Amino acid sequence: MERHAKNILVTGGAGFLGSHLCEKLIQAGNDVICVDNLYTGSKENIRELLTSSRFEFLRHDITFLLYVEVDQIFNLACPASPIHYQHDPVQTTKTSVHGSINMLGLAKRVNAKILQASTSEVYGDPEVHPQEESYWGRVNPIGPRSCYDEGKRCAETLFFDYRRQHNLSIKVARIFNTYGPRMRPSDGRVVSNFIVQALTNQPITIYGDGTQTRSFCYVDDLIDGLLRLMDTGDDVTGPFNLGNPTESSMIELAQLVIELVGSSSSIDFKPLPIDDPRQRQPNIDRARRTLGWSPSVQLRDGLAKTIAYFDGLLRSEGLVQ
């Protein structure tokens, strides 16, 4: 693995995943440029990094050109929860497509290695379970989620075309459900929803009958996977599934959160949203073989850390006594 200090650009660096990535890169002795338009990111996520001489924050939208000199680019910029990416779907698509074009153009100009944070949503509502990277997916191209799903699929196309046309050093990671501290309480994701509702003793909302499944990866494991992928040679491109292969139903997750919080919350069932996938589980054999990576944090342990974060956040806002 490469060890010398580098100049690294992280787009979406003030977001949930981006802030954790910036932190790890700084700890490893790198110089980091964090770019974020703060649509879903927050300066609070990077507050402790702002005093570091190795860290620079730029408020910028990657749908516009950016000129910096870097060795590596982690392209994480894009709203990732349905509430946020459906709020302005045209801008979501532009971030994935125009943003990728701009970052790939930058990487080509400065000869930088570039990693795309893609998503398990490229598989849509899958007919193959668990999902492996060779599966092409089952995506509705005109549905309310397609701005994100198809935007990310097009971004992958662009990355591989830049590889074929310009011999660019690319990496593509397909990120499955990830959770941990610095998630936004109102982001609409299932883990943050359940925890906030449990901490405030509100009914926990389950969409559908609760038998639909997801696979939850703790943020530290996911960041480790991204770093391992970036440190591979130019011949390794991906895509790589990065996620936890252990599957949990929504009812199982809700019951575990209630137990860990010690909450009196009941469970409230509501209709399943349009195009919401029934199953989501990664096959990570490729990541195991090539990256030597697999998640190590158990769901119970990761949830306990995440609950502690949200408990402190809600107490500081006077929402929990």
Side-chain angles (χ1 to χ4, degrees):
M1 296 174 70
E2 301 173 8
R3 294 296 181 190
H4 62 279
K6 309 173 196 68
N7 295 314
I8 301 176
L9 171 64
V10 179
T11 73
F16 163 48
L17 294 181
S19 62
H20 285 277
L21 177 60
C22 288
E23 193 171 80
K24 292 293 185 183
L25 291 170
I26 293 288
Q27 289 172 358
N30 299 293
D31 293 316
V32 173
I33 300 173
C34 166
V35 167
D36 205 299
N37 66 359
L38 300 182
Y39 174 58
T40 58
S42 168
K43 281 189 178 179
E44 185 61 28
N45 288 340
I46 55 171
R47 178 171 51 85
E48 294 184 4
L49 298 177
L50 291 171
T51 57
S52 171
S53 61
R54 292 190 173 277
F55 183 78
E56 180 180 358
F57 171 69
L58 294 178
R59 185 165 185 171
H60 179 82
D61 188 320
I62 64 165
T63 60
F64 298 94
L65 292 172
L66 177 67
Y67 297 97
V68 291
E69 302 295 324
V70 292
D71 304 306
Q72 296 180 353
I73 302 169
F74 288 85
N75 187 34
L76 274 61
C78 190
S81 69
I83 282 179
H84 293 134
Y85 67 64
Q86 291 175 3
H87 176 71
D88 189 346
V90 172
Q91 185 63 27
T92 296
T93 303
K94 287 174 67 176
T95 301
S96 287
V97 179
H98 293 185
S100 290
I101 290 170
N102 288 337
M103 290 303 105
L104 287 161
L106 172 61
K108 177 174 175 284
R109 183 179 69 82
V110 300
N111 195 30
K113 189 186 295 187
I114 182 168
L115 183 149
Q116 167 67 2
S118 190
T119 172
S120 61
E121 296 299 325
V122 299
Y123 299 121
D125 189 4
E127 299 166 302
V128 173
H129 190 76
Q131 295 81 57
E132 59 183 36
E133 292 88 349
S134 60
Y135 177 53
W136 289 356
R138 177 174 174 262
V139 175
N140 177 1
I142 59 171
R145 300 171 68 101
S146 58
C147 59
Y148 185 67
D149 303 357
E150 296 287 34
K152 288 288 191 177
R153 285 164 68 93
C154 185
E156 288 195 16
T157 300
L158 287 163
F159 267 69
F160 280 92
D161 280 341
Y162 263 80
R163 170 71 173 179
R164 286 183 283 261
Q165 190 169 340
H166 303 294
N167 199 32
L168 198 64
S169 180
I170 67 160
K171 315 288 175 184
V172 175
R174 290 176 177 167
I175 298 172
F176 283 67
N177 292 66
T178 305
Y179 70 99
R182 299 181 198 154
M183 296 179 78
R184 290 180 58 163
S186 59
D187 65 8
R189 300 183 193 186
V190 63
V191 171
S192 49
N193 276 359
F194 284 7
I195 290 176
V196 170
Q197 289 169 340
L199 285 169
T200 55
N201 291 307
Q202 300 298 311
I204 288 185
T205 304
I206 290 182
Y207 295 96
D209 61 9
T211 60
Q212 68 270 34
T213 63
R214 296 294 185 270
S215 305
F216 299 101
C217 185
Y218 189 65
V219 61
D220 288 355
D221 283 332
L222 189 281
I223 297 304
D224 177 54
L226 293 179
L227 293 172
R228 286 172 183 255
L229 176 53
M230 181 61 95
D231 280 347
T232 56
D234 290 351
D235 58 321
V236 177
T237 58
F240 285 89
N241 287 339
L242 295 181
N244 195 323
T246 303
E247 202 173 2
S248 301
S249 72
M250 296 300 94
I251 287 180
E252 290 170 340
L253 178 67
Q255 291 171 338
L256 181 54
V257 168
I258 289 171
E259 175 195 335
L260 292 173
V261 171
S263 174
S264 61
S265 294
S266 59
I267 295 179
D268 183 19
F269 293 92
K270 293 189 176 180
L272 198 66
I274 296 173
D275 295 335
D276 193 64
R278 295 288 308 173
Q279 290 181 301
R280 182 72 84 229
Q281 182 188 16
N283 179 317
I284 62 168
D285 289 348
R286 182 180 290 183
R288 283 196 176 106
R289 287 193 309 268
T290 306
L291 309 179
W293 178 87
S294 62
S296 61
V297 178
Q298 299 298 310
L299 181 59
R300 177 178 288 269
D301 298 331
L303 283 176
K305 294 178 182 180
T306 310
I307 287 167
Y309 167 79
F310 276 109
D311 184 59
L313 185 66
L314 295 180
R315 286 182 187 279
S316 70
E317 296 176 356
L319 299 176
V320 173
Q321 300 302 317

